[in-house]
Amino acid sequence: MLIREATTEDWAAIWPFFHTIVAAGETLTYPLDLGREDAQGWWYVAAPNRVVVAVDDAGEVLGTAKMNRNHMGNGSHVASATYMVDPAHSGKGVGRALCEYSVEWARTSGFRAMQFNAVVETNVHAVKLYESIGFEVIGTFPEGFHHPTEGYVGLHIMHKAL
């Protein structure tokens, strides 16, 4: 697996799984009806932030990550990231590779910490992955997320010092 900078041409491969994940409404706080053009504008953040894709040996996009400053101004020393893995490739280490890549990007870019603001507590695979990489749940916003089948569930705030 190779992780490389995403190009605008990659959006054609990202959009189908991006749309599926967002429309399911189980893991992200994005609008469920987010359209293709708006979604691309939300995902493709400007430098110094980054968007990358994980690709296999044939060049197929397996997943993507958006890495960015979590806050502005005097909080700009904290990074954040969002990950999406094509469900057809889940369980193959793509999410772990993207997360580890983003932590290294944040560290080498001079950030002092990473913070995830809204990890849905029912997204147990993501929580377990982040914890295995050194993130800690530092708080949970009770009923901060309306899950389509679980009802109102908490949103974890997760942190890792770099």
Side-chain angles (χ1 to χ4, degrees), residues 82-153:
T82 306
Y83 314 100
M84 291 197 194
V85 175
D86 184 337
H89 300 289
S90 66
K92 299 177 182 174
V94 178
R96 174 172 297 281
L98 288 167
C99 189
E100 289 174 346
Y101 183 94
S102 69
V103 168
E104 188 57 29
W105 167 82
R107 185 177 287 117
T108 60
S109 296
F111 290 97
R112 295 178 50 90
M114 283 190 79
Q115 177 180 316
F116 301 147
N117 302 322
V119 181
V120 179
E121 70 181 350
T122 55
N123 190 357
V124 294
H125 295 296
V127 173
K128 183 178 176 182
L129 168 63
Y130 303 154
E131 288 177 333
S132 76
I133 292 173
F135 286 84
E136 296 178 78
V137 175
I138 59 170
T140 302
F141 174 33
E143 297 188 349
F145 186 83
H146 189 207
H147 192 282
T149 59
E150 302 295 322
Y152 290 97
V153 299

Side-chain angles (χ1 to χ4, degrees), residues 8 11 14-15 18 30 34-47 49 51 66 68:
T8 54
W11 185 245
I14 295 169
W15 169 247
F18 182 106
Y30 291 4
L34 188 60
R36 183 180 178 135
E37 185 175 313
D38 286 339
Q40 185 175 8
W42 283 28
W43 196 253
Y44 279 76
V45 290
N49 305 306
V51 178
K66 174 177 76 163
N68 52 275

